[in-house]
């Protein structure tokens, strides 16, 4: 597979959420992602508007809301959002295709993307970046977790795109300050946990 020939097989997300228990999904993590938790603690973040982009099971949005953030969880899948809404009345769960997002300009102080960016085709990345730039406030922060190029066990054709640190830098560096990218794992239900990258990306303007 070349960079240009980037066709991947992804589930029909809405059918997938309809037919499966969220607890069985590979990305299901009931607790707050430890990498995000560390960043929130070390930066003394408390309060502000947080978007959990591609919220899926909604667990991360619920944990962020429990920490006091005014939280929105968005997902393409109506079924995912319907299931998540049953778990919390505090989180604003909304159906939204991020590539054609209806979320408001300059709305969020922080965005968590845990596993959404890496499902998009390479040619969709500029639209993704434009949308992130549009909805983040000035100096707002994107916390991004994606599969790492170091992950060798997940199948190339079916799994998410695997990214390197330099590729992430390339995608974001024009409009954002990529503060930090670290090697980590994707916390979920797979054993062993797949190798991942966790990036802290700040909007410049
Ligand atoms: C790997 S799952 C991660 C779910 C969740 N972030 C978590 O960590 O538990 C990717 C999620 O992205 C959502 N998604 C895929 N394409 C999307 C789009 N265009 N707009 C919004 N969400 C999308 C899927 O429905 C799915 O819930």
């Amino acid at each position: 597979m070349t960079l240009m020939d980037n066709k991947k097989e992804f589930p029909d997300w809405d059918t997938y959420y309809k037919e499966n228990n969220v607890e069985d999904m590979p990305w299901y993590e009931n607790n707050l992602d430890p990498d995000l938790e560390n960043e929130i603690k070390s930066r003394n973040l408390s309060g502000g508007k947080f978007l959990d982009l591609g919220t899926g099971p909604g667990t991360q949005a619920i944990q962020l809301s429990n920490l006091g953030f005014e939280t929105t969880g968005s997902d393409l899948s109506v079924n995912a959002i319907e299931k998540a809404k049953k778990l919390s009345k505090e989180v604003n769960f909304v159906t939204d295709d991020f590539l054609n997002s209806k979320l408001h300009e300059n709305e969020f102080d922080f965005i968590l993307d845990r596993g959404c960016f890496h499902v998009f085709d390479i040619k969709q990345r500029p639209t993704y970046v434009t949308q992130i730039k549009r909805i983040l406030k000035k100096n707002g922060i994107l916390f991004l977790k994606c599969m790492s190029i170091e992950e060798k066990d997940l199948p190339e054709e079916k799994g998410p795109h695997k990214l390197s640190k330099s590729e992430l830098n390339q995608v974001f560096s024009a409009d954002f300050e990529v503060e930090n990218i670290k090697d980590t794992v994707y916390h979920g239900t797979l054993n062993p946990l797949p190798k991942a990258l966790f990036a802290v990306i700040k909007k410049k303007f």
Side-chain angles (χ1 to χ4, degrees), residues 83-100:
K83 287 186 182 185
K85 273 183 177 168
K86 292 187 181 135
L87 302 177
S88 168
K89 298 222 182 316
E90 306 302 320
V91 176
N92 175 32
F93 283 114
V94 294
T95 305
D96 186 67
D97 175 359
F98 194 65
L99 297 175
N100 190 20

Side-chain angles (χ1 to χ4, degrees), residues 22-200:
V22 291
E23 292 85 355
D24 299 331
M25 295 180 181
W27 46 85
Y28 182 84
E29 172 58 62
N30 193 40
N31 298 320
L32 189 61
D33 185 287
D35 294 309
L36 178 62
E37 189 176 16
N38 286 341
E39 287 296 331
I40 288 175
K41 280 190 184 149
S42 66
R43 289 165 187 268
N44 281 320
L45 304 182
S46 61
K49 289 191 83 175
F50 225 120
L51 172 68
D52 180 22
L53 164 57
T55 191
T59 52
Q60 303 305 302
I62 292 168
Q63 296 293 356
L64 288 166
S65 168
N66 290 344
L67 288 179
F69 295 100
E70 194 182 328
T71 309
T72 295
S74 71
D75 203 283
L76 178 71
S77 164
V78 176
N79 283 299
I81 292 299
E82 276 179 6
K83 287 186 182 185
K85 273 183 177 168
K86 292 187 181 135
L87 302 177
S88 168
K89 298 222 182 316
E90 306 302 320
V91 176
N92 175 32
F93 283 114
V94 294
T95 305
D96 186 67
D97 175 359
F98 194 65
L99 297 175
N100 190 20
S101 180
K102 306 282 184 293
L103 297 168
H104 296 141
E105 207 165 313
N106 298 320
E107 190 174 353
F108 295 101
D109 300 284
F110 313 106
I111 300 175
L112 168 65
D113 177 334
R114 213 181 80 106
C116 191
F117 171 75
H118 70 189
V119 306
F120 293 132
D121 280 346
I122 291 169
K123 62 181 184 308
Q124 294 170 321
R125 289 180 185 166
T127 308
Y128 174 95
V129 171
T130 302
Q131 290 288 14
I132 294 284
K133 219 167 78 179
R134 188 181 66 78
I135 65 170
L136 257 188
K137 291 181 187 170
K138 188 180 170 198
N139 294 324
I141 303 176
L142 167 67
F143 300 98
L144 177 70
K145 182 164 273 193
C146 61
M147 213 54 76
S148 166
I149 196 100
E150 300 299 329
E151 172 53 47
K152 307 292 183 204
D153 291 342
L154 288 182
E156 276 297 328
E157 301 75 23
K158 292 198 173 181
H161 293 278
K162 298 172 186 175
L163 285 107
S164 66
K165 292 180 183 176
S166 64
E167 209 177 348
L168 275 185
N169 269 309
Q170 257 176 27
V171 171
F172 290 99
S173 57
D175 302 296
F176 297 83
E177 185 191 340
V178 181
E179 283 194 3
N180 180 30
I181 307 177
K182 73 169 198 175
D183 293 299
T184 182
V185 290
Y186 197 108
H187 304 86
T189 58
L190 296 178
N191 185 13
L193 296 173
K195 293 189 173 70
L197 296 174
F198 184 74
V200 180

